[in-house]
Amino acid sequence: MSEKTFHKAQTIRDKAVGCPSIVEAVQFHGVKITKNDALVKEVSELYRSKNLDELVHNSHLAARHLQEVGLMDHAVALIDTAPNSTQGYVVNFLVREPKSFTAGVKAGVSTNGDADVSLNAGKQSVGGRGEAISTQYTYTVKGDHCFNISALKPFLGWQKYSNVSATLYRSLAHMPWNQSDVDENAAILAYNGQLWDQKLLHQVKLNAIWRTLRATRDAAFSVREQAGHTLKFSLENAVAVDTRDRPILASRGILARFAQEYAGVFGDASFVKNTLDLQAAAPLPLGFILAASFQAKHLKGLGEREVHILDRCYLGGQQDIRGFGLNTIGVKADNSCLGGGASLAGVVHLYRPLIPPNMLFAHAFLASGSVASIHAKNVVQQLQDTQRVSAGFATQATVTRDYCRSM
Protein backbone atom coordinates (compact mmCIF):
# COMPACT_ATOMS: atom_id res chain seq x y z
CA MET A 1 0.00 0.00 0.00
CA SER A 2 1.49 3.36 -1.05
CA GLU A 3 2.07 5.98 1.63
CA LYS A 4 -0.16 9.05 1.47
CA THR A 5 1.36 12.46 0.92
CA PHE A 6 -0.22 15.42 2.70
CA HIS A 7 0.11 19.09 1.76
CA LYS A 8 -0.75 22.13 3.81
CA ALA A 9 -4.07 23.64 2.84
CA GLN A 10 -2.47 27.01 2.10
CA THR A 11 -0.37 25.59 -0.74
CA ILE A 12 -3.38 25.00 -3.00
CA ARG A 13 -5.47 27.98 -2.00
CA ASP A 14 -6.84 29.98 -4.95
CA LYS A 15 -5.98 27.18 -7.39
CA ALA A 16 -9.24 25.27 -7.36
CA VAL A 17 -12.07 27.81 -7.49
CA GLY A 18 -13.98 25.82 -10.09
CA CYS A 19 -13.48 22.41 -8.47
CA PRO A 20 -16.61 21.38 -6.52
CA SER A 21 -16.08 19.72 -3.15
CA ILE A 22 -18.00 17.52 -0.76
CA VAL A 23 -16.62 17.14 2.75
CA GLU A 24 -17.18 13.54 3.74
CA ALA A 25 -15.33 13.62 7.07
CA VAL A 26 -13.43 15.91 9.45
CA GLN A 27 -10.91 14.14 11.64
CA PHE A 28 -8.77 15.34 14.56
CA HIS A 29 -5.41 13.83 15.44
CA GLY A 30 -3.93 14.52 18.87
CA VAL A 31 -7.13 15.12 20.85
CA LYS A 32 -7.26 13.82 24.42
CA ILE A 33 -9.24 16.19 26.65
CA THR A 34 -11.13 18.45 24.22
CA LYS A 35 -14.85 17.69 24.12
CA ASN A 36 -16.42 16.44 20.91
CA ASP A 37 -19.26 18.99 20.96
CA ALA A 38 -16.70 21.83 21.09
CA LEU A 39 -14.92 20.49 18.00
CA VAL A 40 -18.21 20.07 16.11
CA LYS A 41 -19.13 23.71 16.76
CA GLU A 42 -15.76 24.88 15.49
CA VAL A 43 -15.73 22.99 12.16
CA SER A 44 -19.41 22.65 11.20
CA GLU A 45 -19.06 25.35 8.52
CA LEU A 46 -16.59 23.18 6.57
CA TYR A 47 -19.44 20.97 5.41
CA ARG A 48 -20.99 23.97 3.64
CA SER A 49 -17.93 24.66 1.49
CA LYS A 50 -19.00 24.72 -2.19
CA ASN A 51 -15.64 24.32 -3.89
CA LEU A 52 -12.11 23.27 -3.07
CA ASP A 53 -10.79 26.80 -2.81
CA GLU A 54 -13.48 27.69 -0.26
CA LEU A 55 -12.73 24.48 1.65
CA VAL A 56 -9.03 25.37 1.82
CA HIS A 57 -9.84 28.87 3.04
CA ASN A 58 -12.32 27.68 5.66
CA SER A 59 -9.99 24.96 6.89
CA HIS A 60 -7.28 27.53 7.48
CA LEU A 61 -9.73 29.79 9.36
CA ALA A 62 -10.89 26.87 11.51
CA ALA A 63 -7.32 25.89 12.44
CA ARG A 64 -6.48 29.45 13.43
CA HIS A 65 -9.69 29.89 15.42
CA LEU A 66 -9.04 26.69 17.39
CA GLN A 67 -5.89 28.34 18.69
CA GLU A 68 -7.32 31.81 19.24
CA VAL A 69 -10.21 30.63 21.45
CA GLY A 70 -7.85 28.51 23.58
CA LEU A 71 -8.94 25.02 22.52
CA MET A 72 -5.54 24.20 21.00
CA ASP A 73 -1.96 25.35 21.32
CA HIS A 74 -1.28 24.44 17.70
CA ALA A 75 -3.46 23.30 14.81
CA VAL A 76 -2.77 22.58 11.13
CA ALA A 77 -5.42 21.61 8.56
CA LEU A 78 -4.51 18.94 5.98
CA ILE A 79 -6.87 18.01 3.14
CA ASP A 80 -6.99 14.60 1.46
CA THR A 81 -9.23 13.11 -1.21
CA ALA A 82 -11.86 10.70 0.05
CA PRO A 83 -11.58 7.04 -1.06
CA ASN A 84 -13.79 6.06 -4.01
CA SER A 85 -14.93 9.64 -4.66
CA THR A 86 -13.97 12.20 -7.30
CA GLN A 87 -15.36 15.23 -5.43
CA GLY A 88 -15.17 14.06 -1.82
CA TYR A 89 -12.55 15.27 0.65
CA VAL A 90 -11.43 14.47 4.19
CA VAL A 91 -10.09 17.29 6.35
CA ASN A 92 -7.51 16.23 8.94
CA PHE A 93 -6.56 18.55 11.78
CA LEU A 94 -3.20 17.84 13.38
CA VAL A 95 -3.49 19.49 16.79
CA ARG A 96 -1.59 19.92 20.03
CA GLU A 97 -3.69 20.59 23.11
CA PRO A 98 -2.68 23.07 25.84
CA LYS A 99 -0.36 21.88 28.59
CA SER A 100 -1.97 20.74 31.82
CA PHE A 101 -0.41 23.62 33.75
CA THR A 102 1.82 26.62 33.04
CA ALA A 103 3.80 28.80 35.40
CA GLY A 104 6.24 31.60 34.77
CA VAL A 105 8.11 34.70 35.87
CA LYS A 106 8.11 37.93 33.86
CA ALA A 107 10.20 41.04 34.34
CA GLY A 108 9.11 44.25 32.62
CA VAL A 109 7.89 47.81 33.01
CA SER A 110 4.41 48.70 34.30
CA THR A 111 2.12 51.29 32.68
CA ASN A 112 3.34 53.74 35.33
CA GLY A 113 6.94 53.34 34.20
CA ASP A 114 8.01 51.28 37.22
CA ALA A 115 10.04 48.12 36.86
CA ASP A 116 8.06 45.12 38.03
CA VAL A 117 8.23 41.36 38.42
CA SER A 118 5.21 39.12 37.88
CA LEU A 119 4.60 35.54 38.96
CA ASN A 120 1.88 33.86 36.95
CA ALA A 121 0.26 30.45 36.69
CA GLY A 122 -2.71 29.10 34.79
CA LYS A 123 -4.38 26.41 32.79
CA GLN A 124 -6.05 26.55 29.37
CA SER A 125 -9.09 24.53 28.30
CA VAL A 126 -9.80 23.38 31.84
CA GLY A 127 -13.02 21.57 30.97
CA GLY A 128 -12.16 20.76 27.36
CA ARG A 129 -14.16 23.66 25.90
CA GLY A 130 -11.62 26.50 25.94
CA GLU A 131 -12.14 27.61 29.54
CA ALA A 132 -9.12 29.25 31.14
CA ILE A 133 -8.09 29.98 34.72
CA SER A 134 -5.11 32.18 35.54
CA THR A 135 -3.60 33.91 38.53
CA GLN A 136 -0.90 36.57 38.78
CA TYR A 137 1.04 38.36 41.47
CA THR A 138 2.92 41.55 40.57
CA TYR A 139 5.42 43.50 42.66
CA THR A 140 7.05 46.77 41.60
CA VAL A 141 10.36 48.17 42.79
CA LYS A 142 8.48 51.03 44.48
CA GLY A 143 6.53 48.62 46.66
CA ASP A 144 3.16 48.31 44.90
CA HIS A 145 1.46 44.92 45.04
CA CYS A 146 -1.30 43.39 42.96
CA PHE A 147 -2.84 39.92 43.04
CA ASN A 148 -5.58 38.70 40.74
CA ILE A 149 -7.29 35.49 39.74
CA SER A 150 -9.52 35.25 36.69
CA ALA A 151 -11.63 32.73 34.81
CA LEU A 152 -12.69 32.96 31.16
CA LYS A 153 -15.27 31.05 29.14
CA PRO A 154 -15.36 31.51 25.33
CA PHE A 155 -18.52 31.13 23.26
CA LEU A 156 -17.66 28.48 20.68
CA GLY A 157 -18.90 28.41 17.11
CA TRP A 158 -17.79 29.24 13.59
CA GLN A 159 -15.58 32.36 13.79
CA LYS A 160 -17.11 33.50 17.07
CA TYR A 161 -14.90 35.86 19.03
CA SER A 162 -16.83 36.42 22.23
CA ASN A 163 -16.39 35.39 25.84
CA VAL A 164 -17.40 36.05 29.42
CA SER A 165 -14.91 36.43 32.26
CA ALA A 166 -14.79 36.94 36.01
CA THR A 167 -11.89 38.52 37.88
CA LEU A 168 -11.07 38.99 41.55
CA TYR A 169 -8.16 41.22 42.48
CA ARG A 170 -6.51 43.01 45.35
CA SER A 171 -4.19 45.95 44.76
CA LEU A 172 -2.06 48.05 47.10
CA ALA A 173 -0.50 51.09 45.44
CA HIS A 174 1.08 54.43 46.27
CA MET A 175 -0.21 57.49 44.41
CA PRO A 176 2.58 60.11 44.51
CA TRP A 177 0.54 62.70 42.60
CA ASN A 178 -1.74 63.25 45.60
CA GLN A 179 0.46 61.91 48.40
CA SER A 180 -1.73 58.96 49.33
CA ASP A 181 -2.03 55.18 49.25
CA VAL A 182 -4.98 53.18 48.00
CA ASP A 183 -6.10 49.61 48.65
CA GLU A 184 -8.60 48.07 46.23
CA ASN A 185 -10.54 44.83 46.45
CA ALA A 186 -12.62 44.19 43.37
CA ALA A 187 -14.85 41.73 41.56
CA ILE A 188 -15.35 42.29 37.82
CA LEU A 189 -17.67 40.50 35.41
CA ALA A 190 -17.08 41.18 31.73
CA TYR A 191 -18.47 40.28 28.32
CA ASN A 192 -16.40 40.72 25.15
CA GLY A 193 -17.99 40.28 21.75
CA GLN A 194 -18.36 41.64 18.25
CA LEU A 195 -21.13 43.44 16.40
CA TRP A 196 -21.90 44.49 12.84
CA ASP A 197 -20.47 41.43 11.07
CA GLN A 198 -17.49 41.29 13.45
CA LYS A 199 -16.32 44.78 12.50
CA LEU A 200 -17.24 46.41 15.80
CA LEU A 201 -15.73 45.29 19.12
CA HIS A 202 -18.09 45.40 22.09
CA GLN A 203 -17.35 45.14 25.80
CA VAL A 204 -19.60 45.30 28.86
CA LYS A 205 -18.18 45.29 32.40
CA LEU A 206 -19.82 45.19 35.81
CA ASN A 207 -17.49 46.44 38.56
CA ALA A 208 -17.78 46.10 42.32
CA ILE A 209 -14.83 47.78 44.07
CA TRP A 210 -14.14 48.36 47.75
CA ARG A 211 -11.52 51.10 48.05
CA THR A 212 -9.57 52.46 50.99
CA LEU A 213 -7.79 55.81 50.52
CA ARG A 214 -5.05 56.52 53.06
CA ALA A 215 -3.66 60.05 52.95
CA THR A 216 -0.06 60.56 54.11
CA ARG A 217 1.14 63.39 56.30
CA ASP A 218 2.17 65.39 53.23
CA ALA A 219 -1.25 65.20 51.56
CA ALA A 220 -3.35 68.35 51.15
CA PHE A 221 -6.54 68.77 53.18
CA SER A 222 -8.59 68.28 49.99
CA VAL A 223 -7.19 64.75 49.81
CA ARG A 224 -7.42 64.04 53.54
CA GLU A 225 -11.13 64.85 53.68
CA GLN A 226 -11.82 62.07 51.15
CA ALA A 227 -9.73 59.43 52.92
CA GLY A 228 -11.40 56.28 54.18
CA HIS A 229 -13.52 53.48 52.76
CA THR A 230 -15.74 53.82 49.67
CA LEU A 231 -17.72 51.37 47.56
CA LYS A 232 -18.10 51.74 43.81
CA PHE A 233 -20.56 49.75 41.72
CA SER A 234 -20.40 50.71 38.08
CA LEU A 235 -21.42 49.51 34.63
CA GLU A 236 -19.12 50.12 31.67
CA ASN A 237 -20.05 49.83 28.01
CA ALA A 238 -17.52 50.28 25.20
CA VAL A 239 -17.55 49.92 21.42
CA ALA A 240 -14.48 50.10 19.22
CA VAL A 241 -13.10 49.69 15.72
CA ASP A 242 -9.52 48.42 15.64
CA THR A 243 -7.55 47.81 12.43
CA ARG A 244 -4.05 48.20 13.92
CA ASP A 245 -1.46 45.55 13.11
CA ARG A 246 -0.46 45.38 16.79
CA PRO A 247 -1.69 47.06 19.98
CA ILE A 248 1.68 48.56 21.01
CA LEU A 249 3.70 50.73 18.61
CA ALA A 250 1.43 49.93 15.68
CA SER A 251 2.92 50.59 12.25
CA ARG A 252 -0.44 50.97 10.45
CA GLY A 253 -4.17 51.05 11.15
CA ILE A 254 -6.61 52.96 13.33
CA LEU A 255 -8.35 52.59 16.67
CA ALA A 256 -11.60 54.39 17.50
CA ARG A 257 -13.11 53.60 20.90
CA PHE A 258 -15.96 55.15 22.84
CA ALA A 259 -16.64 54.08 26.43
CA GLN A 260 -19.18 55.11 29.01
CA GLU A 261 -19.16 54.29 32.72
CA TYR A 262 -22.19 54.74 34.94
CA ALA A 263 -22.05 54.52 38.75
CA GLY A 264 -24.83 55.40 41.14
CA VAL A 265 -27.31 52.59 41.74
CA PHE A 266 -25.41 51.20 44.73
CA GLY A 267 -22.39 52.31 46.72
CA ASP A 268 -20.80 55.68 47.37
CA ALA A 269 -19.77 56.63 43.81
CA SER A 270 -22.31 58.43 41.62
CA PHE A 271 -21.26 59.73 38.20
CA VAL A 272 -21.27 59.28 34.43
CA LYS A 273 -17.94 59.26 32.61
CA ASN A 274 -17.51 59.36 28.82
CA THR A 275 -14.19 58.55 27.16
CA LEU A 276 -13.22 58.87 23.49
CA ASP A 277 -9.93 57.37 22.24
CA LEU A 278 -8.62 57.82 18.69
CA GLN A 279 -5.33 56.43 17.36
CA ALA A 280 -3.84 56.20 13.87
CA ALA A 281 -0.53 55.03 12.46
CA ALA A 282 0.99 54.89 8.98
CA PRO A 283 4.40 53.85 7.57
CA LEU A 284 6.70 56.46 6.00
CA PRO A 285 9.73 56.12 3.71
CA LEU A 286 13.08 55.03 5.17
CA GLY A 287 11.37 52.90 7.82
CA PHE A 288 9.79 55.74 9.78
CA ILE A 289 6.34 55.40 11.37
CA LEU A 290 4.03 58.37 11.92
CA ALA A 291 1.42 57.94 14.66
CA ALA A 292 -1.08 60.22 16.37
CA SER A 293 -3.53 59.83 19.25
CA PHE A 294 -6.32 61.88 20.79
CA GLN A 295 -8.20 61.30 24.03
CA ALA A 296 -11.12 63.19 25.54
CA LYS A 297 -12.84 62.51 28.86
CA HIS A 298 -15.83 64.10 30.51
CA LEU A 299 -17.09 63.35 34.00
CA LYS A 300 -20.40 64.46 35.46
CA GLY A 301 -21.44 63.83 39.04
CA LEU A 302 -24.98 62.68 39.78
CA GLY A 303 -26.93 64.10 42.67
CA GLU A 304 -25.39 66.28 45.36
CA ARG A 305 -22.48 63.99 46.20
CA GLU A 306 -19.06 65.21 45.01
CA VAL A 307 -17.14 62.93 42.67
CA HIS A 308 -14.46 61.09 44.62
CA ILE A 309 -10.83 61.91 43.93
CA LEU A 310 -10.20 58.32 42.78
CA ASP A 311 -12.79 58.63 39.98
CA ARG A 312 -11.68 61.94 38.45
CA CYS A 313 -9.85 62.63 35.19
CA TYR A 314 -6.04 62.81 35.26
CA LEU A 315 -3.28 63.56 32.77
CA GLY A 316 0.50 63.34 32.84
CA GLY A 317 3.06 60.60 32.28
CA GLN A 318 4.30 58.47 29.42
CA GLN A 319 0.83 57.13 28.65
CA ASP A 320 -0.45 60.55 27.50
CA ILE A 321 1.56 63.75 28.11
CA ARG A 322 5.25 62.86 28.39
CA GLY A 323 7.54 65.23 30.21
CA PHE A 324 5.13 65.69 33.13
CA GLY A 325 4.92 63.55 36.23
CA LEU A 326 2.31 60.84 36.32
CA ASN A 327 -1.19 62.36 36.82
CA THR A 328 0.24 65.78 37.78
CA ILE A 329 -1.52 68.01 35.22
CA GLY A 330 -4.54 69.93 36.47
CA VAL A 331 -5.89 71.50 39.65
CA LYS A 332 -3.56 71.27 42.64
CA ALA A 333 -3.74 71.95 46.34
CA ASP A 334 -0.34 72.35 47.99
CA ASN A 335 1.67 69.43 46.59
CA SER A 336 -1.33 67.22 45.71
CA CYS A 337 -3.05 66.90 42.34
CA LEU A 338 -6.82 66.72 42.69
CA GLY A 339 -7.84 65.58 39.20
CA GLY A 340 -10.68 67.16 37.26
CA GLY A 341 -14.02 66.76 35.54
CA ALA A 342 -12.76 66.80 31.94
CA SER A 343 -9.51 66.31 30.05
CA LEU A 344 -8.11 66.54 26.53
CA ALA A 345 -4.84 65.10 25.26
CA GLY A 346 -3.31 64.92 21.80
CA VAL A 347 0.07 63.47 20.79
CA VAL A 348 1.98 63.11 17.51
CA HIS A 349 4.73 60.47 17.39
CA LEU A 350 7.51 59.70 14.93
CA TYR A 351 9.14 56.28 15.35
CA ARG A 352 12.14 54.68 13.70
CA PRO A 353 13.00 51.01 14.43
CA LEU A 354 16.60 50.47 15.51
CA ILE A 355 18.47 47.20 16.11
CA PRO A 356 16.84 44.80 16.92
CA PRO A 357 13.97 46.28 14.83
CA ASN A 358 11.01 45.03 16.89
CA MET A 359 12.48 45.80 20.29
CA LEU A 360 14.21 49.18 20.16
CA PHE A 361 12.84 52.40 18.62
CA ALA A 362 13.98 56.00 18.22
CA HIS A 363 11.02 58.14 19.26
CA ALA A 364 10.21 61.84 18.79
CA PHE A 365 6.96 63.31 20.07
CA LEU A 366 4.91 66.49 20.44
CA ALA A 367 2.14 66.39 23.05
CA SER A 368 -0.46 68.77 24.40
CA GLY A 369 -3.20 68.39 26.99
CA SER A 370 -5.25 70.03 29.71
CA VAL A 371 -7.54 69.19 32.63
CA ALA A 372 -10.59 71.19 33.73
CA SER A 373 -11.60 71.45 37.36
CA ILE A 374 -14.39 69.26 38.68
CA HIS A 375 -16.20 72.50 39.60
CA ALA A 376 -15.51 74.36 36.33
CA LYS A 377 -18.41 76.52 35.13
CA ASN A 378 -17.09 76.78 31.57
CA VAL A 379 -15.28 73.50 30.83
CA VAL A 380 -14.30 74.33 27.24
CA GLN A 381 -12.81 77.71 28.19
CA GLN A 382 -10.80 76.23 31.05
CA LEU A 383 -9.45 73.46 28.83
CA GLN A 384 -8.27 76.13 26.37
CA ASP A 385 -6.69 78.29 29.06
CA THR A 386 -4.76 75.53 30.85
CA GLN A 387 -2.99 73.83 27.95
CA ARG A 388 0.32 72.10 28.69
CA VAL A 389 2.77 71.25 25.89
CA SER A 390 5.79 68.96 25.80
CA ALA A 391 8.16 67.77 23.07
CA GLY A 392 11.13 65.49 23.11
CA PHE A 393 13.24 62.70 21.66
CA ALA A 394 13.97 59.37 23.30
CA THR A 395 14.90 55.76 22.72
CA GLN A 396 12.06 53.40 23.57
CA ALA A 397 12.29 49.68 24.27
CA THR A 398 9.43 47.20 24.15
CA VAL A 399 11.27 44.20 25.56
CA THR A 400 10.19 41.99 28.45
CA ARG A 401 11.71 38.78 29.67
CA ASP A 402 9.45 35.85 30.29
CA TYR A 403 10.50 32.60 31.90
CA CYS A 404 7.82 29.91 31.70
CA ARG A 405 7.59 26.27 32.53
CA SER A 406 4.85 23.89 31.40
CA MET A 407 3.86 20.74 33.22
Side-chain angles (χ1 to χ4, degrees):
M1 183 176 179
S2 60
E3 185 178 354
K4 291 184 177 181
T5 302
F6 293 96
H7 301 277
K8 286 188 176 182
Q10 298 93 308
T11 62
I12 59 173
R13 182 180 176 183
D14 297 329
K15 295 183 179 180
V17 178
C19 181
S21 67
I22 299 175
V23 177
E24 297 193 358
V26 177
Q27 301 174 350
F28 287 85
H29 306 272
V31 173
K32 295 180 180 179
I33 64 171
T34 306
K35 303 301 182 182
N36 184 67
D37 62 303
L39 298 175
V40 171
K41 289 180 179 179
E42 289 294 301
V43 301
S44 59
E45 189 70 17
L46 297 182
Y47 289 95
R48 299 185 178 93
S49 300
K50 298 177 181 179
N51 54 61
L52 183 57
D53 184 71
E54 186 176 337
L55 177 60
V56 171
H57 177 68
N58 289 343
S59 298
H60 173 69
L61 290 179
R64 186 176 65 183
H65 195 257
L66 287 167
Q67 301 170 75
E68 292 175 337
V69 298
L71 281 174
M72 302 296 169
D73 266 350
H74 181 70
V76 175
L78 306 177
I79 299 176
D80 188 20
T81 56
N84 304 319
S85 176
T86 58
Q87 297 181 356
Y89 294 91
V90 177
V91 182
N92 295 276
F93 286 93
L94 306 184
V95 300
R96 183 176 68 245
E97 294 179 316
K99 299 292 184 179
S100 59
F101 181 78
T102 60
V105 180
K106 183 176 70 173
V109 179
S110 70
T111 56
N112 296 337
D114 302 332
D116 62 22
V117 176
S118 297
L119 307 176
N120 56 78
K123 177 170 172 47
Q124 291 284 334
S125 201
V126 178
R129 295 182 175 88
E131 309 91 338
I133 295 178
S134 62
T135 182
Q136 183 179 57
Y137 171 74
T138 302
Y139 174 79
T140 71
V141 294
K142 294 186 178 180
D144 295 349
H145 302 259
C146 183
F147 172 80
N148 72 73
I149 180 169
S150 62
L152 181 144
K153 167 63 178 173
F155 294 107
L156 301 178
W158 180 252
Q159 295 301 293
K160 278 189 177 181
Y161 288 92
S162 57
N163 61 67
V164 292
S165 64
T167 302
L168 298 174
Y169 80 82
R170 174 169 171 78
S171 173
L172 296 86
H174 177 62
M175 301 188 297
W177 55 90
N178 56 28
Q179 308 298 318
S180 62
D181 300 305
V182 63
D183 299 350
E184 290 188 347
N185 299 274
I188 300 174
L189 299 177
Y191 164 79
N192 293 281
Q194 296 182 332
L195 302 171
W196 198 21
D197 195 24
Q198 299 184 344
K199 297 179 181 179
L200 196 65
L201 306 177
H202 183 218
Q203 183 184 65
V204 179
K205 292 173 63 177
L206 182 62
N207 308 301
I209 308 175
W210 171 27
R211 310 173 296 187
T212 305
L213 181 66
R214 297 186 174 91
T216 65
R217 294 181 178 180
D218 298 328
F221 178 76
S222 300
V223 177
R224 290 173 176 272
E225 66 180 357
Q226 299 201 41
H229 300 275
T230 56
L231 286 173
K232 182 176 86 166
F233 292 89
S234 70
L235 177 66
E236 295 183 60
N237 183 68
V239 291
V241 175
D242 190 355
T243 64
R244 298 173 299 172
D245 55 351
R246 55 178 181 260
I248 300 177
L249 293 178
S251 61
R252 65 179 69 247
I254 64 170
L255 167 69
R257 184 176 186 270
F258 177 74
Q260 186 176 65
E261 181 179 10
Y262 169 74
V265 178
F266 304 105
D268 304 303
S270 183
F271 63 85
V272 173
K273 179 187 288 186
N274 298 291
T275 303
L276 175 65
D277 282 297
L278 300 174
Q279 296 180 24
L284 297 177
L286 304 178
F288 285 93
I289 300 170
L290 179 65
S293 62
F294 173 81
Q295 183 188 79
K297 292 183 180 181
H298 182 260
L299 177 67
K300 179 177 177 58
L302 302 177
E304 299 180 356
R305 186 176 300 166
E306 184 173 332
V307 178
H308 196 275
I309 195 170
L310 294 175
D311 298 315
R312 298 179 185 177
C313 302
Y314 291 89
L315 280 182
Q318 60 179 334
Q319 296 300 308
D320 39 61
I321 310 299
R322 290 171 174 263
F324 293 88
L326 181 65
N327 294 341
T328 57
I329 297 177
V331 180
K332 294 184 178 180
D334 298 332
N335 57 354
S336 301
C337 187
L338 306 180
S343 66
L344 287 175
V347 190
V348 177
H349 308 269
L350 184 64
Y351 295 104
R352 176 64 167 85
L354 301 177
I355 299 176
N358 293 324
M359 296 172 59
L360 198 62
F361 295 80
H363 176 210
F365 66 92
L366 175 64
S368 176
S370 59
V371 177
S373 168
I374 193 72
H375 304 296
K377 295 181 179 180
N378 190 331
V379 174
V380 175
Q381 186 63 46
Q382 191 171 120
L383 289 173
Q384 293 177 348
D385 295 341
T386 59
Q387 285 290 320
R388 299 291 184 269
V389 179
S390 67
F393 178 84
T395 301
Q396 182 165 336
T398 61
V399 63
T400 60
R401 292 187 177 181
D402 202 349
Y403 305 92
C404 292
R405 182 178 180 181
S406 301
M407 292 167 276

